[in-house]
């Protein structure tokens, strides 16, 4: 049985970040393991934020905007990834709040045309000392605004 992935060519918002699926990311059936999809998305976000000056190296107090936690992760799997090689993650922000944000993502072909999985994740920025929600910095908000998906 062959599953044809849905086509979603709209890249008018967000960013397409290259990622690589390695042979050891595939399960015993030769498909990308379900737990690897969020990992690839995380790697793409890390590349995006590092390119925008946000870094985390294990020091919560110095982490600033990278001091955040996941509140929710939703993912749906549209079609299996059955080969290692180059792919991409299409990233965008659905909502940028004062202390939280919701981002959308698609794991897709390297050109962004074929979608294999899609989802959203909610993050909350924390104060390193109190572990309570705290506002995003203006620099972070400026980089994030460039990723906001236009309202329908």
């Amino acid at each position: 049985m062959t599953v044809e992935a849905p086509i979603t060519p709209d890249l008018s918002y967000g960013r397409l970040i290259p990622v690589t699926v390695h042979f050891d990311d595939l399960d015993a059936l030769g498909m990308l393991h379900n737990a690897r999809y969020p990992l690839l998305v995380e790697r793409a976000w890390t590349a995006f934020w590092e390119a925008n000056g946000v870094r985390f190296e294990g020091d919560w107090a110095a982490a600033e905007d990278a001091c955040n936690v996941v509140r929710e992760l939703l993912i749906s799997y549209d079609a299996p990834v059955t080969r290692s090689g180059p792919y991409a993650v299409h990233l965008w922000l659905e909502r940028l709040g004062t202390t939280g944000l919701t981002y959308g993502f698609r794991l897709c072909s390297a050109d962004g045309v074929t979608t294999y999985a899609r989802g959203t994740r909610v993050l909350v920025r924390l104060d390193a000392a109190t572990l309570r929600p705290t506002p995003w910095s203006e620099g972070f908000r400026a980089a994030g605004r460039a990723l906001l998906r236009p309202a329908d």
Side-chain angles (χ1 to χ4, degrees):
M1 176 172 91
T2 302
V3 177
E4 191 170 318
I7 295 178
T8 309
D10 186 6
L11 297 175
S12 63
Y13 58 89
R15 297 287 185 282
L16 196 61
I17 308 292
V19 295
T20 301
V21 171
H22 298 278
F23 175 77
D24 60 352
D25 292 322
L26 304 178
D27 66 15
L29 298 174
M31 292 186 277
L32 183 62
H33 189 278
N34 68 302
R36 297 295 193 175
Y37 289 78
L39 178 66
L40 291 169
V41 173
E42 183 69 24
R43 289 178 179 163
W45 271 117
T46 299
F48 173 80
W49 288 116
E50 284 184 349
N52 283 280
V54 176
R55 301 203 185 285
F56 177 69
E57 297 182 12
D59 180 353
W60 284 107
E64 298 176 351
D65 291 304
C67 184
N68 61 67
V69 292
V70 176
R71 180 181 172 129
E72 177 180 274
L73 172 65
L74 300 172
I75 186 168
S76 61
Y77 302 94
D78 296 347
V81 170
T82 58
R83 297 181 190 272
S84 58
Y87 291 86
V89 176
H90 180 198
L91 304 171
W92 66 89
L93 289 184
E94 293 284 338
R95 181 189 66 81
L96 178 58
T98 303
T99 62
L101 61 80
T102 302
Y103 71 73
F105 62 87
R106 292 185 309 117
L107 178 67
C108 50
S109 55
D111 61 5
V113 172
T114 304
T115 299
Y116 298 99
R118 65 185 77 230
T120 59
R121 189 162 92 163
V122 177
L123 297 179
V124 177
R125 181 172 182 213
L126 298 180
D127 177 277
T130 65
L131 298 182
R132 300 288 306 150
T134 194
W136 302 108
S137 71
E138 189 47 46
F140 183 93
R141 294 179 63 71
R145 280 192 288 275
L147 292 178
L148 279 170
R149 182 179 182 173
D152 292 331

